[in-house]
């Protein structure tokens, strides 16, 4: 399994924010209510003077925040949250800044301490097998002295999936690409740290396998000691 890394550069981010502002104005100008349909991608691209791919990416972003809903063969609709709430949320989205490394690490640790506890209680045999496959792939790369960042994070994503909590899994999938880029940018893990991670991953896996929620959480917390110290030593 391969983990693709994607980025949104500054120009795309600025373009998206401009389109979001225009969509907000359109909704308010036309007094669109929850459930009302937006114009087509083609019409919006012509109206705003941008490409259809720009419109599509922006709609996907607003869908992620729950402000729009696309239905295949039908179109894109205003979500059922009310215009006042929508305007307030869009204003917040427009001033959002890209998360820094520290905030990503803090979020990841909070999420994973919970997902590993849930995974140890809810995991199926299929989940356990997927975690083991990811662990084996990581071990091969680490012992060969190769970059194992993606395999490491796939191991953690397998645990998130095994938690049975779709929302937490979605959050993990959202922050993982930027974490991969930051790991590579800041050279967070060296060869020795990667090899040490094998033992730590194995301990986490064993705790999940034995349905020991407290042990799984403790092993995950220990696993994050290095990352936590690295993050705060850079301040």
């Amino acid at each position: 399994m391969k983990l693709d890394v994607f980025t949104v550069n500054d120009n795309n981010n600025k373009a998206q924010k401009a389109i979001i502002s225009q969509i907000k104005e359109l909704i308010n100008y036309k007094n669109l209510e929850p459930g009302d349909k937006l114009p087509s991608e083609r019409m919006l691209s012509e109206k705003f003077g941008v490409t259809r791919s720009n419109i599509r990416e922006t709609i996907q972003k607003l869908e992620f925040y729950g402000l729009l809903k696309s239905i295949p063969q039908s179109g894109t609709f205003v979500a059922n949250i009310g215009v006042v709430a929508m305007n307030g949320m869009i204003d917040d989205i427009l001033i959002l800044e890209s998360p820094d490394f520290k905030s990503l690490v803090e979020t990841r640790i909070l999420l994973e301490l919970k997902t590993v506890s849930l995974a140890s209680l809810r995991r199926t045999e299929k989940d356990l097998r997927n975690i083991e496959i990811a662990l084996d792939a990581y071990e091969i790369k680490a012992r060969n002295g190769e970059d194992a960042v993606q395999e490491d994070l796939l191991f953690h994503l397998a645990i998130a999936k095994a938690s049975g909590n779709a929302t937490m899994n979605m959050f993990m999938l959202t922050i993982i690409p930027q974490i991969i880029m930051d790991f590579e940018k800041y050279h967070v893990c060296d060869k020795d740290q990667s090899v040490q991670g094998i033992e730590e991953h194995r301990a986490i896996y064993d705790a999940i396998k034995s349905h020991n929620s407290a042990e799984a959480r403790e092993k995950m917390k220990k696993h994050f000691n290095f990352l936590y110290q690295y993050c705060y030593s850079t301040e």
Side-chain angles (χ1 to χ4, degrees):
M1 183 180 179
K2 185 176 183 295
L3 188 65
D4 293 322
V5 179
F6 61 89
T7 63
V8 177
N9 61 40
D10 288 339
N11 288 335
N12 281 345
N13 193 39
K14 289 177 181 177
Q16 279 192 358
K17 287 188 174 182
I19 296 169
I20 289 172
S21 293
Q22 290 173 305
I23 288 176
K24 175 189 175 184
E25 291 174 6
L26 178 68
I27 290 173
N28 287 311
Y29 178 74
K30 290 197 170 185
N31 294 317
L32 296 181
E33 298 288 337
D36 286 347
K37 184 177 178 179
L38 289 182
S40 68
E41 288 181 5
R42 180 182 60 80
M43 293 178 66
L44 288 175
S45 67
E46 292 175 356
K47 182 177 180 63
F48 298 157
V50 296
T51 66
R52 291 182 65 174
S53 63
N54 289 146
I55 296 295
R56 191 175 303 114
E57 289 171 2
T58 304
I59 287 174
Q60 288 173 349
K61 183 170 186 176
L62 291 174
E63 279 191 278
F64 172 79
Y65 287 113
L67 300 178
L68 299 177
K69 182 175 180 60
S70 292
I71 301 175
Q73 311 302 321
S74 298
T76 302
F77 300 83
V78 179
N80 189 26
I81 64 169
V83 175
V84 174
M86 175 170 288
N87 283 330
M89 289 180 68
I90 289 177
D91 288 340
D92 287 340
I93 291 169
L94 291 173
I95 61 174
L96 276 178
E97 297 179 0
S98 298
D100 56 43
F101 184 52
K102 178 182 172 182
S103 66
L104 284 169
V105 168
E106 289 176 339
T107 302
R108 180 187 173 192
I109 292 174
L110 285 171
L111 282 173
E112 292 213 53
L113 291 178
K114 188 61 179 180
T115 57
V116 75
S117 298
L118 292 176
S120 65
L121 299 173
R122 299 174 178 176
R123 61 87 177 162
T124 64
E125 289 302 314
K126 182 179 178 181
D127 290 329
L128 194 64
R129 179 58 183 153
N130 288 336
I131 295 171
E132 185 178 27
I133 290 171
L135 172 57
D136 291 343
Y138 172 80
E139 182 171 359
I140 290 171
K141 283 284 191 76
R143 291 201 185 281
N144 287 338
E146 299 176 52
D147 184 347
V149 170
Q150 293 193 45
E151 286 73 19
D152 173 37
L153 292 170
L154 283 173
F155 171 78
H156 290 273
L157 283 175
I159 293 173
K161 186 175 181 181
S163 73
N165 186 304
T167 302
M168 288 186 178
N169 192 28
M170 179 188 69
F171 280 137
M172 282 291 291
L173 288 167
T174 301
I175 67 175
I176 285 298
Q178 187 60 52
I179 288 176
I180 290 177
M181 290 184 288
D182 284 346
F183 266 48
E184 294 173 345
K185 177 181 178 181
Y186 299 117
H187 306 288
V188 175
C189 294
D190 58 21
K191 182 180 178 181
D192 291 339
Q193 188 63 33
S194 294
V195 172
Q196 181 182 333
I198 297 171
E199 182 181 340
E200 294 173 354
H201 282 189
R202 182 67 61 182
I204 294 167
Y205 168 81
D206 289 341
I208 293 173
K209 183 178 181 179
S210 62
H211 294 288
N212 191 329
S213 178
E215 180 75 3
R217 191 179 191 281
E218 189 59 35
K219 293 300 182 183
M220 183 67 80
K221 187 176 180 180
K222 180 181 178 182
H223 177 54
F224 280 136
N225 278 345
F226 172 81
L227 181 59
Y228 190 88
Q229 290 170 7
Y230 176 91
C231 178
Y232 286 93
S233 68
T234 58
E235 290 185 326

